[in-house]
Amino acid sequence: MTEPHDIPRPAEDRPLRVETHGLDVITDGERKGVPRGLFWPWFGANVSVLGLSYGAFALGFRISFWQALAAGAAGIVFSFLLCGFVAVAGKRGSAPTMVLGRAAYGVRGNRMPSVVSWLLTVGWETVLVALASMATATVFGRLGWGGGTGTKVAALVLVGALTVAGGVLGFDLIMRLQTVITVVTGVLTVVYVGLVADHVHWGTVSALPAGSAQEFIGALVFMMTGFGLGWVNAAADYSRYLPRRSSGRAVIGWTTFGASLAPLLLLVFGLLLAGSSAGLGEAVAADPIGALTTLLPTWFLVPFAVVAVLGLVGGAVLDIYSSGLALLAAGLRIPRPLAALVDGVLMIAGSVYIVFFADDFLGPFTGFLTTLGVPIAAWCGIVLGDLLLRRRDYDEQDLYRPDGRYGDVPPGPLLLTLAATALGWGLVTNTSARLLDWQGYLLGPLGLGGRSGPWAYANLGVLAALALGFLGTLATARGRVRAQEAEPSRAEVSAV
């Protein structure tokens, strides 16, 4: 018989209130649920119809349908598998992701990756809110209800308010909201697929020519940065609420399955749609969500707006919750709800720029993913390497003490992060911003053809940073981890 505490979602009779937890440890009495409950927030955050647009993004690397499908599937599953491994740290440590990173980086040394994490999550929530606002305006325009500046402003205010409210109220609201988003968005997305299925022309799709190995790798890395690598820095924020006895394999499995399922299904259909129409692929690059409405009958435009907005809000809410935690981990001493509110203000400002002033979406979006994807990949490799070396759960008290076992500012992990980031940025290119045209400085010296050669857009730097961070940690941190775990905990000392 299922006990009340085994229900994977918060109980319906639990009063909804603002979550007061910030960077503090979740006590055993507050832990609840089972690993399968992780399916809801991860599926709800990734069921957005934006997944359809990734089909056009992948084919933009000039590869065939089968190459794009292989690159997309591998990139999605592998990157979310990384999230699953990071989520195990939440179960073992009871603290937010960017606090658990202190075990590898030290208490204050961890502030550097926390700032990068904060930038990434604020950037993602900004992108999602802007896309939701643009999609709403496009739908209203097709219906003849406006669609101009006034509609965009109203949509931005509404979507922004929903996102900020979710971030401020916190965990319980997010878990309830994601369940609703999962059901509503899932059903309406299936209807969308049925309505536009006649726009798929397999003969055209199957005739797409194959691309080079470099183009395939570029699409693979783009999928990794667009999906799981955008979440690894928040992957333990929800698993920290699970009881300690929860299965680590189940945490990995449900996180990976919940996060990957919707993107995989949406990617396949997105590839079929974009491969059937070159014009659609070009339109998606300018307005990733709104372009999808051109295939719909008028009567389904309002339901489509609902599915688009809910899916994007689902991802943005998780981002703003985690960005607030990252801001606190970076050293800002304010309550978590206020940190989420601060991020919400920045999110609205960035969304205003994208919606009203930016001429192109895909170029800056790609540059954003690759530029921040490199240091996040380095951080992910280091944290996973550190986690693999550990045989015991984290000492939760020492995660907050600069004079504890994890240290204050150990130089090794910071130097490794800088080295991996320097290597990574030298192997990626960014043509969307002049301030970043220095990237790719290693492509020439390493014989990869320079910034205009065949490897210029393969974005090998993300993979290189991940590998160097992981292998470098395994090679250099074993003694440090063993020494940390040999120290008795405060509880053990008190007992003696």
Side-chain angles (χ1 to χ4, degrees):
M1 180 179 295
T2 301
E3 298 296 333
H5 62 269
D6 288 331
I7 298 174
R9 300 186 296 279
E12 295 300 327
D13 58 355
R14 185 191 306 278
L16 191 63
R17 59 185 184 273
V18 175
E19 180 190 357
T20 57
H21 286 298
L23 299 184
D24 51 317
V25 170
I26 306 301
T27 65
D28 288 341
E30 296 174 288
R31 287 169 170 254
K32 54 187 179 289
V34 290
R36 66 176 177 271
L38 293 172
F39 175 88
W40 297 102
W42 285 109
F43 186 89
N46 291 283
V47 73
S48 165
V49 291
L50 180 61
L52 294 170
S53 300
Y54 272 88
F57 297 158
L59 292 178
F61 284 86
R62 296 179 299 181
I63 54 180
S64 69
F65 167 82
W66 293 111
Q67 286 179 311
L69 180 59
I76 289 169
V77 174
F78 176 69
S79 62
F80 280 125
L81 184 62
L82 297 178
C83 291
F85 287 127
V86 174
V88 172
K91 190 258 305 186
R92 293 175 61 180
S94 316
T97 313
M98 298 313 297
V99 170
L100 298 170
R102 293 174 178 176
Y105 282 91
V107 175
R108 288 193 295 176
N110 189 62
R111 291 180 178 179
M112 181 185 74
S114 294
V115 170
V116 177
S117 173
W118 175 71
L119 290 172
L120 181 65
T121 47
V122 169
W124 263 113
E125 69 203 40
T126 299
V127 165
L128 296 175
V129 168
L131 287 176
S133 303
M134 293 164 60
T136 302
T138 300
V139 168
F140 274 51
R142 280 202 59 194
L143 291 170
W145 297 350
T149 301
T151 303
K152 291 178 180 178
V153 169
L156 188 56
V157 169
L158 176 61
V159 174
L162 287 173
T163 302
V164 172
V168 169
L169 286 172
F171 179 80
D172 276 352
L173 176 63
I174 289 173
M175 295 299 283
R176 298 182 190 187
L177 180 64
Q178 296 298 65
T179 304
V180 174
I181 288 175
T182 296
V183 175
V184 175
T185 305
V187 171
L188 292 180
T189 300
V190 170
V191 176
Y192 174 89
V193 169
L195 289 173
V196 302
D198 59 344
H199 289 272
V200 173
H201 305 291
W202 176 245
T204 304
V205 174
S206 60
L208 293 173
S212 65
Q214 295 92 330
E215 290 166 334
F216 173 84
I217 294 173
L220 170 68
V221 174
F222 180 82
M223 288 294 174
M224 288 177 58
T225 55
F227 286 99
L229 277 180
W231 288 108
V232 288
N233 54 318
D237 292 352
Y238 306 95
S239 55
R240 65 183 174 135
Y241 282 89
L242 291 173
R244 296 180 189 276
R245 66 178 183 276
S246 301
S247 165
R249 290 184 178 181
V251 169
I252 295 170
W254 282 107
T255 298
T256 306
F257 176 65
S260 300
L261 180 60
L264 286 172
L265 296 175
L266 292 169
L267 172 68
V268 172
F269 197 72
L271 288 171
L272 293 172
L273 284 178
S276 300
S277 171
L280 177 63
E282 295 173 358
V284 165
D287 184 1
I289 305 297
L292 300 174
T293 66
T294 60
L295 308 178
L296 288 171
T298 303
W299 66 266
F300 192 70
L301 289 176
V302 171
F304 177 82
V306 172
V307 69
V309 170
L310 281 179
L312 294 168
V313 166
V317 165
L318 262 68
D319 275 319
I320 196 171
Y321 178 79
S322 294
S323 69
L325 294 174
L327 188 59
L328 298 180
L332 186 64
R333 297 186 177 182
I334 58 175
R336 185 206 60 79
L338 183 57
L341 188 60
V342 170
D343 287 350
V345 173
L346 297 175
M347 174 192 74
I348 295 296
S351 300
V352 167
Y353 171 77
I354 294 175
V355 173
F356 296 103
F357 299 103
D359 297 324
D360 176 40
F361 171 80
L362 186 56
F365 179 58
T366 303
F368 160 73
L369 291 181
T370 54
T371 299
L372 289 182
V374 168
I376 285 296
W379 171 89
C380 181
I382 290 172
V383 168
L384 289 180
D386 180 85
L387 180 64
L388 182 62
L389 290 173
R390 296 191 180 276
R391 299 171 180 171
R392 301 174 58 183
D393 287 351
Y394 298 100
D395 186 300
E396 295 163 352
Q397 294 183 10
D398 279 359
L399 288 171
Y400 301 87
R401 297 173 52 241
D403 60 344
R405 73 184 64 211
Y406 302 121
D408 191 12
V409 188
L414 295 173
L415 292 175
L416 182 57
T417 302
L418 293 175
T421 300
L423 173 64
W425 278 342
L427 296 174
V428 300
T429 56
N430 190 337
T431 59
S432 62
R434 292 183 179 180
L435 292 176
L436 299 174
D437 60 7
W438 49 268
Q439 293 178 351
Y441 48 80
L442 292 178
L443 291 170
L446 293 180
L448 298 175
R451 293 186 177 94
S452 59
W455 291 97
Y457 300 101
N459 291 325
L460 289 174
V462 175
L463 299 176
L466 177 66
L468 180 57
F470 181 72
L471 297 176
T473 300
L474 293 182
T476 63
R478 186 179 302 274
R480 177 171 175 261
V481 171
R482 293 291 171 264
Q484 291 173 355
E485 295 191 329
E487 293 185 27
S489 67
R490 289 198 165 200
E492 292 170 340
V493 172
S494 299
V496 173

